[in-house]
Amino acid sequence: MSAKKNAAYNVAYRVFSILLPLVTAPYLTRTVGQTGKGLYDYAWSISEIFVIIATMGLTDYGVRAIAKVRDDAKKLSKTFSEIYIMQVLVSLLVLLVWLGYVAFGAGQEKTIVLHLTMMSVSCLVNIDWCLMGLDQFKSIALRNTCVKLLAAASVFIFVKSAEDVWIYGFAWSAATLMGCLLCWPGLKGKVHLQRVPFRDVMKHFLPCMLLLVSVLAVRVYRTMDKIMVGAIAGMAQNGLYSSAEQIIYCLSGFISAIGTVLMPKASNLQAHGREKQIRGFMELSMKMMMCMTCAMAFGIASVADVFAPLFYGEDFAYSGVLMVPLGFTLILIGFANVVRTQWILPSGNDRLVLKAVSTGAVVNLIINGLLIPTMGAMGAVIGTLFAEASVPLVQFLFLRKELPYGRFLRYALTYSVMGAIMLLVVQLVGVLMADSWWEVAVRVLVGAGVYGGLCLGWWRKTDDREIMHLLHLKRLAKN
């Protein structure tokens, strides 16, 4: 399957996974309120940490390992068997610890985390990493979309009051487990589980642990934010922060989806020594990533003040204030993602990934600790901004002699200027209208028109044939 089709399926899968909870969010916030939503997000964040530990960084390591051997059926089955057996052993251990936490460690969130147990169980059968390494994104997308639609429907049917918030957790955790189980038929005829020596299983353990530390470090400033805000500033502040962050997380799904699709391709090219191809692919990816993320960041800044109270309710108006600075993390995330998924990980430089994200985690924890007690949710926003900025900075310090960072930064600056112009025009339009969904729609349409027009003009002026070919705009190229 082509990279374009894989990207389309993976974007659909990732965005659906994030968008459906977002669709139910307005109903949930009005049903359970700030405190109820904050309590649920607090419980989910804890569950997510256990899931991350159980899956051991396989989203990166497993995808890369499978992509490198996918052309050899014998090596493919052996590699899959080794990694999957290791995954099962670790997941069983994590599941036991999770059950201990539910029984003896949980506080007011105990009812919710009990019904999130299937999240940890799903780690025993999660083989997304293998399907992604094989470029089988279609099967993941279609099966998971179906079960998540059922989960969303059950929320509207069964969640009727603040006491029903546990049903929300049960629906999504059950959907996760069912989605993992339904992905197994996608391996039929491609991979066979076989017996392998235990020493071959364990040879994957340390590399996975290295990437696990990296993934956990990322979660420190993406998941621990909510835990710290809830514990320090209260569940109401956590509800405001998590509502704002949910929108940004949804949009970042596009970024991670594209990176997930391109990483197996880059890993396969790396295994065949095609560095020149990787560099060309990376250059085009960075152009498109900066175009997309600048549109997202400045687009959020254009509508957040009107969107948040309309979408979540008047009690969540402050979430719109939090969204504006959080939106600009998308540019930083996109920049770092291209470098990580298309250069660092395919080359096996996992230690650099660890250094970069660990720096981000430390920066985030320090700033959160200093600012959340006095600034509440906004303190976590500032901590996230600095954390996300530190990741590409560390990458730059180690790779500045290998990669054309000057050109990369020019792409970011060019599209940021276009985004700023769009923001100015949209704000002027907003002054003329009353707060309503019509205003949001008009702002989005005007912003898309202005930004799209500026991009087309720039591509035409610079005769950027690569982008125009990718977007089927060859007729706009200069003769």
Side-chain angles (χ1 to χ4, degrees), residues 47 50-51 54 91-92 94-95 98-99 116-125 173:
S47 171
F50 278 85
V51 169
S91 296
L92 283 171
V94 171
L95 178 60
W98 167 260
L99 293 173
L116 290 176
T117 297
M118 282 182 290
M119 291 292 295
S120 293
V121 175
S122 70
C123 297
L124 291 166
V125 291
S173 60

Side-chain angles (χ1 to χ4, degrees), residues 103-117:
F104 306 108
Q108 58 182 327
E109 76 280 6
K110 186 168 186 173
T111 301
I112 301 174
V113 295
L114 175 63
H115 291 90
L116 290 176
T117 297

Side-chain angles (χ1 to χ4, degrees), residues 36-94:
K37 188 173 187 304
L39 185 62
Y40 169 77
D41 289 327
Y42 180 81
W44 182 271
S45 297
I46 295 172
S47 171
E48 194 172 26
I49 291 174
F50 278 85
V51 169
I52 291 167
I53 295 172
T55 50
M56 300 178 64
L58 288 176
T59 302
D60 290 330
Y61 181 84
V63 172
R64 183 178 65 194
I66 294 297
K68 287 184 174 180
V69 300
R70 67 188 183 195
D71 299 325
D72 186 322
K74 187 175 179 180
K75 286 184 179 179
L76 176 61
S77 291
K78 184 175 185 296
T79 301
F80 169 77
S81 300
E82 292 167 355
I83 295 175
Y84 181 66
I85 291 170
M86 177 193 66
Q87 176 186 336
V88 170
L89 294 174
V90 174
S91 296
L92 283 171
L93 180 60
V94 171

Side-chain angles (χ1 to χ4, degrees), residues 172-281:
W172 290 115
S173 60
T176 300
L177 175 58
M178 185 61 65
C180 290
L181 289 170
L182 290 175
C183 281
W184 274 86
L187 290 184
K188 188 176 181 180
K190 300 180 181 70
V191 176
H192 305 283
L193 191 61
Q194 60 188 44
R195 287 187 177 184
V196 290
F198 187 70
R199 64 178 180 276
D200 290 344
V201 171
M202 294 309 295
K203 74 181 181 184
H204 299 282
F205 185 76
L206 288 179
C208 278
M209 284 294 102
L210 184 62
L211 284 173
L212 170 61
V213 173
S214 302
V215 175
L216 282 174
V218 172
R219 291 301 174 185
V220 165
Y221 60 87
R222 293 188 186 171
T223 300
M224 288 298 291
D225 279 350
K226 293 188 279 289
I227 295 176
M228 292 181 74
V229 172
I232 298 172
M235 293 303 172
Q237 280 285 302
N238 190 42
L240 292 169
Y241 176 78
S242 60
S243 297
E245 194 257 358
Q246 190 173 26
I247 301 296
I248 309 305
Y249 184 57
C250 176
L251 294 175
S252 70
F254 285 95
I255 299 171
S256 60
I258 293 171
T260 301
V261 168
L262 297 179
M263 206 246 297
K265 182 177 179 66
S267 297
N268 193 259
L269 291 172
Q270 185 75 35
H272 291 86
R274 300 176 185 173
E275 184 177 308
K276 185 177 180 180
Q277 248 181 296
I278 296 174
R279 287 181 177 274
F281 205 57

